[in-house]
């Protein structure tokens, strides 16, 4: 502790020294971030100044042309290079592309997700970059939102724990700075409309949305990104309450806050809450934003606002101090310990591919199996579907296919496994045939989609098993691609129906950015496997899983929709509803949060409490014995939920309190225990004050989100 305090004192002394020498222009320059794909002439003008604080989407050796002017500037402060490494350093072709956050959340494995962050940090740092704009800590609860794939799902406990885990991985050894985003309620936008107003209350934010950012602050995340949207009509970019009073002061976040892309300009031309950029800069800086992403006119407008007395120098100094503090932690200030950067050879290396394979394997979820899986050794396999051999669709958003500029015709790297490639390798002794099958969007199969459909049916008819890859495409998945209907588009249902008519073994594999309505499709499938956007190794992992060389262990971090228009379908809703269901769709969700099948069969004992009563400042232990009643070793995610049976405020039907993923050998039993602090069973009252009531609490233990064991606790 003494050494840490001494280092902190040395850093603050260094920052004081730098601040005392800086002009207004140099200070505001540090608060400006510019993008490599902006207007080339403007970018070059700013680059030559040598005083811009950060650059975005610069890759590899290109960093040097930005570093040299900075080193030659009066104070020699190096810029920090940011990158959207959402699931690996995926904007760089050749780097490791991991499964999306949503896919990775299916692992329910904090250690594996931390490794995912650690690998990404090594590859980003080896490429000469410093700052990853990840993780996304928004909730995936409205499936119309295009960015569902970037979330860790719908539950605050899962998002908080996996978010903190990947932050620890990113910032291990000080290689890169992580950025928790988007603060806050971004995913709650009305109608799933990206960057729109969020119709939530402060109580809902505190009950559901704030916990992941508190976990991020506790994990010492170096930065937080401001959300585009608004709450109750107030843009987050100008909200001092949320940025300063709550995030910086209440949560104790001492890193820097960066706006999202062009937020300042949006205040003027989109949200229309500021008359001009000077007012936008004033409102944004005084609210608590420390750095402006992309809006290039911020530099001159902020300087003008300072000189006019609209922005006090103390506010500028606080922001610059936070920026310099992060640079010091990354070894970018003279006199600070430099990072030991990995060699470029780590980018896409075999060791990282092995970790990536584990993430892909553990993230696959078996949704349905009527006994057709595992396939074992079959003589012939028909692989059908556009997404069976489309790397761009398999990757999803935020890779070199989509950013910083759309490149749908990008050539994939050789090491990526589509499902087709995986099946050909894993089922090496079988005859493997392939057909595209059907249209998902116009032009997918050329002019004659009927011919493509007929070819797929003929392919399926001649095979022992048909593996049909269905899902969505980048057109319907990612930022700015909100959809009104989360469905299987084009002729995919027809394809499944026709394939099922000629083959009695149909295995559907989903490659998609979000849960889709499967109510009609599932009737034509003997097995369904969810991979979401599974990254480089998805095809190999999925092929080994369906053959039976590996066992499924993934669970859903997000609920599938009961039908079009039935959402939101997240599990932890209030339960008072006249009728209790929509009259036109099946109410029981077959694929809810926490669900996932296995080749193992797990049996649960009734949960047992260490005591039937506890004080409000006390604790209780919940124990459950889980038996693997099969001859297949497996992993099971044991989930503990609770409910305050009678509460002065509405509370959900149940709320995830804890989870543990355990390995249980064939025929073995394990007792899983959860230590619960009674203080964690509380709620926020109408004044947003956290409280715990006396009375009865129900505990529920489950392995599938459908079947629950029950125990009761009385809090005195």
């Amino acid at each position: 502790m003494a050494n840490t305090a001494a280092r902190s004192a040395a850093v603050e002394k260094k920052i004081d020294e730098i601040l005392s020498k800086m002009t207004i222009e140099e200070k505001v320059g540090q608060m400006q971030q510019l993008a490599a794909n902006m207007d080339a002439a403007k970018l070059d003008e700013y680059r030559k100044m040598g005083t811009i604080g950060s650059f975005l989407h610069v890759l590899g050796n290109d960093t040097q042309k930005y570093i040299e002017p900075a080193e030659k500037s009066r104070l020699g402060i190096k810029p920090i290079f940011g990158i959207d490494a959402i699931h690996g350093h995926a904007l760089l072709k050749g780097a490791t592309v991991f499964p999306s956050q949503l896919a990775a959340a299916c692992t329910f494995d904090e250690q594996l997700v931390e490794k995912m962050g650690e690998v990404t940090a090594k590859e980003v740092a080896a490429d000469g970059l410093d700052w990853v704009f990840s993780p996304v800590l928004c909730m995936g609860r409205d499936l119309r939102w295009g960015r569902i794939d970037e979330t860790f799902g719908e539950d605050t406990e899962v998002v908080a724990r996996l978010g903190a885990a990947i932050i620890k991985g990113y910032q291990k050894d000080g290689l890169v700075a992580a950025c928790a985003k988007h603060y806050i309620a971004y995913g709650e936008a009305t109608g799933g409309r990206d960057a729109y107003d969020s119709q939530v209350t402060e109580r809902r934010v505190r009950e559901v949305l704030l916990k992941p950012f508190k976990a991020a602050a506790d994990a010492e995340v170096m930065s937080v990104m401001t959300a585009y949207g608004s709450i109750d009509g107030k843009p987050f970019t100008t909200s001092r309450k949320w940025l300063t009073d709550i995030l910086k002061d209440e949560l104790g976040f001492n890193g820097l806050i960066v706006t999202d892309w062009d937020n300042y300009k949006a205040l003027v031309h989109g949200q229309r809450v500021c008359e001009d950029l000077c007012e936008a800069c004033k409102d944004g800086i005084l609210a608590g934003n420390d750095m402006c992403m992309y809006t290039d006119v911020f530099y001159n407008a902020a300087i003008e606002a300072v000189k006019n007395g609209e922005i006090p120098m103390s506010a500028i100094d606080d922001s610059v101090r936070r920026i310099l503090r992060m640079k010091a932690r990354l070894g970018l200030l003279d006199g600070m310990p430099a990072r030991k950067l990995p060699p470029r050879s780590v980018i896409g290396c075999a060791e990282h591919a092995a970790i990536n394979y584990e993430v892909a394997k553990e993230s696959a979820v078996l949704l349905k199996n009527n006994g057709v899986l595992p396939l074992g050794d079959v003589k012939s396999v028909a692989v059908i579907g556009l997404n069976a051999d489309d790397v761009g669709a398999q990757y999803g958003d935020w890779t070199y296919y989509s950013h910083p500029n759309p490149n749908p015709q990008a050539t994939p790297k050789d090491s990526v496994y589509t499902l087709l490639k995986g099946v050909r390798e894993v089922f090496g002794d079988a005859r493997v045939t392939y057909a595209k099958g059907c249209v998902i969007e116009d032009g997918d199969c050329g002019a004659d989609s009927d011919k493509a459909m007929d070819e797929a049916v003929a392919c399926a008819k001649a095979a022992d098993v048909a593996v049909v890859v269905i899902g969505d495409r980048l057109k319907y998945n990612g930022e700015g691609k909100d959809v009104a209907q989360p469905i299987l588009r084009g002729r995919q249902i027809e394809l499944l129906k026709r394939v099922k008519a000629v083959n009695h073994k149909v295995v559907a594999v989903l490659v998609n950015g979000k849960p889709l309505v499967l109510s009609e499709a599932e009737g034509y499938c003997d097995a369904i496997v969810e991979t979401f956007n599974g990254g480089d190794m998805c095809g190999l992992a999925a092929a080994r899983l369906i053959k039976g060389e590996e066992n499924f262990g993934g669970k859903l971090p997000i609920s599938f929709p009961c039908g079009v228009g039935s959402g939101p379908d997240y599990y932890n809703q209030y339960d008072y509803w006249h009728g209790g269901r929509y009259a036109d769709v099946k109410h029981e969700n077959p694929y809810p949060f926490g669900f996932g099948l296995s080749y193992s069969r797990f049996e649960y004992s009734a949960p047992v409490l260490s005591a039937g009563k506890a004080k409000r400042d006390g604790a209780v232990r919940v124990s459950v014995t889980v038996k693997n009643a099969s001859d297949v070793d497996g992993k099971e995610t044991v989930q503990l939920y609770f409910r305050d049976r009678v509460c002065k405020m509405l509370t959900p039907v149940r709320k995830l309190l804890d989870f543990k993923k355990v390995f249980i050998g064939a025929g073995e039993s394990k007792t899983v225990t959860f230590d619960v602090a009674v203080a964690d069973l509380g709620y926020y009252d109408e004044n947003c004050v956290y409280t715990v009531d006396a009375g009865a609490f129900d505990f529920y233990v489950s392995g599938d989100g459908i079947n629950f064991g029950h125990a009761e606790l009385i809090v005195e």
Side-chain angles (χ1 to χ4, degrees), residues 35-156:
N37 60 335
M38 64 181 284
D39 179 83
K42 286 184 179 180
L43 177 62
D44 199 49
E45 180 183 343
Y46 281 114
R47 178 187 66 82
K48 290 177 180 177
M49 289 167 50
T51 55
I52 297 301
S54 179
F55 294 93
L56 173 63
H57 293 161
V58 179
L59 295 175
N61 294 330
D62 289 345
T63 58
Q64 198 55 39
K65 68 181 182 182
Y66 297 88
I67 293 172
E68 288 176 358
E71 290 178 327
K72 294 176 182 177
S73 67
R74 189 173 72 92
L75 296 175
I77 304 172
K78 297 183 184 70
I80 184 169
F81 294 99
I83 194 74
D84 283 288
I86 306 300
H87 49 124
H89 188 25
L91 272 59
L92 176 69
K93 182 179 176 180
T96 301
V97 180
F98 280 102
S100 66
Q101 273 196 200
L102 185 61
C106 298
T107 69
F108 279 74
D109 190 325
E110 291 159 273
Q111 292 182 332
L112 199 52
V113 170
E114 183 175 339
K115 286 182 181 178
M116 179 176 162
E118 188 177 346
V119 167
T120 301
K122 288 179 179 178
E123 297 198 9
V124 166
D127 198 32
L129 311 180
D130 318 289
W131 189 8
V132 296
F133 295 123
S134 176
V136 173
L137 300 183
C138 308
M139 298 292 172
R141 306 203 306 171
D142 190 327
L143 297 182
R144 293 171 292 184
W145 188 38
R147 304 186 76 166
I148 291 290
D149 62 306
E150 295 181 50
T151 75
F152 280 126
E154 69 186 36
D155 181 79
T156 186

Side-chain angles (χ1 to χ4, degrees), residues 365-370 372-373 470 496 506-510 518 521-531 546 552 560 591 595 597:
V365 184
L366 181 58
L367 299 182
K368 178 180 179 179
N369 185 20
N370 68 2
V372 69
L373 296 181
I470 55 177
L496 287 169
V506 178
V507 179
V509 178
L510 283 155
L518 299 181
E522 63 184 354
Y524 305 116
C525 305
D526 299 288
I528 303 175
V529 176
E530 176 61 88
T531 68
I546 63 175
F552 287 93
F560 271 63
Y591 312 124
F595 181 79
L597 302 174

